[in-house]
C-alpha cells in the first residue's frame, strides 16, 4: 500500500520528485501518513490517527502544535540550515540598506529623471543619502544557529566587529563559526555595545516579546535592530516608543502586520528571508529526505518534538519502533515482551527528549502481531510501528 503525503502548502517540485513510487500525494489531509507544510497554521487542525509525521519546510515551527503532535506520536521535523544562506544574504543586504540611504538615492534619481543637469545636481543632492559604512561597526547576534552563524561569518568578512550570544550553541555551529566572533554570556552585554543587533532565535513562550522597553533602555542610542525571526519577538508598543524617541534608530523587520507597516523609521519586507528558489528547493529536499528516512527506516533526524534517533538502514529480519513517554521501566517492559516470545534483539537505540522518548529495535525474527499489540498496550507507549 502506498504512503500518502499531503502538502498543506506548495512544496518545491525538486523535493516532491524525491518521493519514490511507494508514495502518493493526496489532497485529503485525513488519510495522509505524512504532511509537508510551510506556513499553513496547523493549530486548529484535526490530527488524524493516520498521521505519523509532519515536516516543516523551513526553520520556524510556531505554526505547528508540537505538544499535541508529540502526545499523538506524530513526529515533527524542520529543516535547519536549509534556508540559512537565503536569510543571511537578506540580513546583510538589509544592514547595508540601513547604513547607506540607497533607496533614498534611487528615489531621488527617479524623481529627477527629466533634469538635463542631473549629473551636476546629483553631486549636490547626494550628501543627503550618504550614510555610513558597516566596516568597523559592532554587530550583535542573538542566537547562533545555522542562520546566526552564517550572518556572523559574513559580517566578519565584511569587517564588522561581531559579538554573539547563545547559551545553547551547538558544537557543530561553534565549529562552523569564525574564531573572530566574540562570544558574550548575556544579551545585555550585546545591548550595551552594539550598533546593529540581529535576532535569530525561535519564537517560544520564553522569547516572545524579549525586545521590550527594558531591553531597548540598555541599548546604544540609535541602534539598528534587525528581525528576520518572528514579529512577536518584539513588543511592538515599546518598539514604537523607542523609534519615536530615537532610542532605536531603525527597525528592519521581515514580517508585515498592521502595526509594523505603520512604525516610523522601519523597513518592512513581506517575509522574504527564505523565499528564494534556492532556499525553497533546499527545504523541500531536506523535508522529503526526513520523511522518507522516518517512514522507511523509522529514523528520526531534525525533529523538534521527539529525540533524534538513528539506527541506519535495517539489515536484520525486522525493525520495530516505539514512541513512548520518557518514564522509568519502559525499556525493560519492551525487552521482556520480546524475550517472552523468543525474539532476539540484534540492535537497539533509545533516546529521550523532555517528556518523550523513542526506541528502535532491530530483531532477528518476525515479531508476532500479539507482541505488537502487547507493546502498544503498555502504559506510556504512544505508538508502535512495524517498519519491516
Ligand atoms: C523559516 O522559519 O524558515 C523562515 O522564516 C522562512 C519560512 O517561514 O518559510
Amino acid at each position: 500500500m502506498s504512503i500518502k503525503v499531503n502538502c498543506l502548502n506548495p512544496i518545491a517540485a525538486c523535493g516532491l520528485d524525491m518521493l519514490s513510487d511507494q508514495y502518493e500525494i493526496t489532497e485529503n489531509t485525513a488519510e495522509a501518513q505524512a504532511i509537508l507544510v510551510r506556513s499553513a497554521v496547523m493549530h486548529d487542525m484535526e490530527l488524524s490517527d493516520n498521521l505519523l509525521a509532519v515536516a516543516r519546510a523551513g526553520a520556524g515551527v510556531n505554526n505547528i502544535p508540537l505538544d499535541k503532535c508529540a502526545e499523538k506520536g506524530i513526529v515533527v521535523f524542520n529543516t535547519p540550515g536549509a534556508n540559512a544562506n537565503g536569510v543571511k544574504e537578506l540580513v546583510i543586504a538589509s544592514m547595508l540598506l540601513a547604513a547607506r540611504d540607497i533607496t533614498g538615492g534611487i528615489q531621488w534619481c527617479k524623481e529627477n529623471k527629466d533634469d538635463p543637469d542631473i549629473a551636476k545636481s546629483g553631486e549636490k543632492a547626494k550628501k543627503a543619502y550618504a550614510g555610513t559604512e558597516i566596516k568597523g561597526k559592532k554587530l550583535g547576534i542573538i542566537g547562533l544557529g545555522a542562520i546566526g552563524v552564517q550572518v556572523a561569518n559574513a559580517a566578519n568578512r565584511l569587517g564588522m566587529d561581531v559579538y554573539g550570544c547563545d547559551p545553547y550553541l551547538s558544537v557543530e555551529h561553534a565549529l562552523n563559526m569564525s574564531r573572530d566572533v566574540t562570544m558574550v554570556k548575556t544579551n545585555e552585554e550585546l545591548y550595551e555595545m552594539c550598533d546593529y543587533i540581529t535576532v535569530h532565535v525561535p519564537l517560544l513562550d520564553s522569547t516572545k516579546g524579549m525586545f521590550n522597553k527594558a531591553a531597548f533602555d540598555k541599548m546604544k542610542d540609535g541602534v539598528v535592530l534587525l528581525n528576520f525571526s518572528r514579529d512577536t519577538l518584539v513588543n511592538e508598543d515599546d518598539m514604537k516608543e523607542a523609534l519615536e524617541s530615537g532610542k532605536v534608530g531603525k527597525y528592519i523587520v521581515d514580517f508585515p502586520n498592521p502595526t509594523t507597516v505603520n512604525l516610523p523609521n522601519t523597513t518592512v519586507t513581506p517575509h522574504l528571508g527564505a523565499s528564494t528558489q534556492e532556499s525553497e528547493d533546499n527545504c523541500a529536499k531536506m523535508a522529503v529526505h526526513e520523511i522518507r528516512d522516518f517512514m522507511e527506516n523509522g529514523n528520526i533526524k531534525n525533529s523538534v518534538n521527539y529525540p533524534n534517533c538513528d539506527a541506519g538502514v535495517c539489515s536484520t529480519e525486522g525493525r520495530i519502533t516505539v514512541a513512548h513517554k520518557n518514564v522509568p521501566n519502559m525499556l525493560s517492559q519492551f525487552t521482556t515482551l520480546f524475550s517472552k516470545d523468543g525474539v532476539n534483539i540484534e540492535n537497539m537505540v533509545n533516546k529521550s527528549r523532555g517528556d518523550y522518548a523513542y526506541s528502535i529495535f532491530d530483531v532477528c525474527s518476525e515479531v508476532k502481531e500479539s507482541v505488537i499489540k502487547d507493546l502498544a498496550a503498555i502504559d506510556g507507549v504512544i505508538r508502535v510501528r512495524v517498519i519491516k
Side-chain angles (χ1 to χ4, degrees):
M1 226 175 51
S2 58
I3 299 168
K4 298 203 167 57
V5 179
N6 175 242
C7 299
L8 289 181
N9 297 105
I11 301 293
C14 63
L16 297 181
D17 288 348
M18 286 167 46
L19 292 168
S20 66
D21 295 347
Q22 227 185 318
Y23 294 82
E24 190 187 319
I25 300 289
T26 176
E27 296 299 315
N28 180 356
T29 310
E31 68 171 7
Q33 277 99 48
I35 285 182
L36 290 165
V37 60
R38 282 167 61 191
S39 52
V41 178
M42 295 180 67
H43 288 282
D44 294 330
M45 240 179 80
E46 186 84 34
L47 299 172
S48 103
D49 289 342
N50 294 318
L51 189 59
L52 301 174
V54 175
R56 156 87 165 99
V61 285
N62 54 308
N63 54 326
I64 306 172
L66 301 185
D67 289 338
K68 205 164 122 191
C69 286
E71 276 163 27
K72 288 193 66 120
I74 300 165
V75 178
V76 181
F77 300 87
N78 71 346
T79 58
N83 56 21
N85 189 65
V87 181
K88 169 200 82 182
E89 288 186 5
L90 196 60
V91 171
I92 297 292
S94 303
M95 213 153 36
L96 290 165
L97 286 168
R100 314 278 289 264
D101 193 0
I102 300 168
T103 46
I106 293 171
Q107 189 56 31
W108 183 89
C109 286
K110 278 192 183 151
E111 282 163 8
N112 293 276
K113 66 180 173 19
D114 298 326
D115 176 1
D117 256 347
I118 189 164
K120 208 165 158 203
S121 44
E123 288 304 319
K124 272 195 198 146
K126 71 181 182 185
K127 59 178 173 297
Y129 310 106
T132 55
E133 298 181 17
I134 59 170
K135 185 173 176 196
K137 302 293 184 303
K138 289 187 168 62
L139 169 67
I141 304 179
I142 297 176
L144 292 160
I147 297 171
V149 166
Q150 286 211 27
V151 172
N153 292 346
N156 176 60
R157 282 195 290 270
L158 289 169
M160 295 190 86
D161 205 359
V162 183
Y163 297 82
C165 183
D166 189 341
Y168 309 104
L169 178 66
S170 71
V171 173
E172 183 199 344
H173 291 136
L175 288 172
N176 284 334
M177 190 165 63
S178 160
R179 286 197 210 138
D180 292 332
V181 174
T182 307
M183 291 298 291
V184 296
K185 288 207 168 67
T186 63
N187 292 346
E188 283 67 25
E189 286 173 71
L190 290 183
Y191 296 162
E192 277 164 26
M193 62 183 162
C194 289
D195 308 294
Y196 294 82
I197 295 174
T198 183
V199 57
H200 300 284
V201 300
L203 177 64
L204 306 169
D205 286 344
S206 57
T207 57
K208 197 169 177 184
M210 64 186 274
F211 292 98
N212 52 21
K213 180 167 169 26
F216 299 142
D217 283 349
K218 294 182 188 120
M219 294 180 192
K220 278 174 86 168
D221 290 344
V223 62
V224 175
L225 206 70
L226 298 108
N227 179 3
F228 286 80
S229 293
R230 288 295 178 263
D231 51 356
T232 43
L233 293 170
V234 170
N235 177 320
E236 286 166 353
D237 290 337
D238 292 358
M239 175 59 95
K240 186 165 184 278
E241 243 179 60
L243 285 160
E244 279 166 357
S245 71
K247 181 71 203 176
V248 173
K250 266 182 199 157
Y251 180 39
I252 318 290
V253 54
D254 200 22
F255 303 95
N257 67 36
T259 307
T260 56
V261 292
N262 287 301
L263 289 173
N265 295 330
T266 297
T267 304
V268 194
T269 42
H271 202 185
L272 290 180
S275 58
T276 59
Q277 192 59 54
E278 294 90 331
S279 285
E280 287 185 6
D281 288 355
N282 288 341
C283 288
K285 286 194 263 185
M286 193 188 278
V288 169
H289 181 76
E290 290 162 352
I291 290 288
R292 282 199 63 173
D293 197 20
F294 180 67
M295 298 307 296
E296 294 167 35
N297 303 312
N299 293 326
I300 301 182
K301 180 150 188 231
N302 296 329
S303 174
V304 286
N305 66 346
Y306 268 89
N308 288 334
C309 192
D310 189 346
V313 175
C314 177
S315 56
T316 57
E317 189 58 30
R319 173 173 289 180
I320 311 295
T321 66
V322 188
H324 54 98
K325 289 275 176 61
N326 182 20
V327 291
N329 198 31
M330 297 306 281
L331 280 182
S332 70
Q333 294 185 78
F334 302 158
T335 52
T336 304
L337 275 179
F338 284 128
S339 72
K340 259 200 343 214
D341 207 53
V343 174
N344 183 37
I345 300 168
E346 175 91 7
N347 182 35
M348 182 180 101
V349 190
N350 167 264
K351 299 278 180 199
S352 64
R353 173 189 183 135
D355 291 338
Y356 297 94
Y358 188 79
S359 303
I360 303 178
F361 299 95
D362 282 353
V363 291
C364 296
S365 54
E366 201 189 323
V367 180
K368 287 196 201 115
E369 188 57 42
S370 58
V371 177
I372 300 298
K373 270 199 184 138
D374 289 347
L375 277 172
I378 293 172
D379 194 25
V381 167
I382 300 169
R383 200 187 281 262
V384 181
R385 286 175 66 209
V386 180
I387 303 292
K388 183 179 165 193

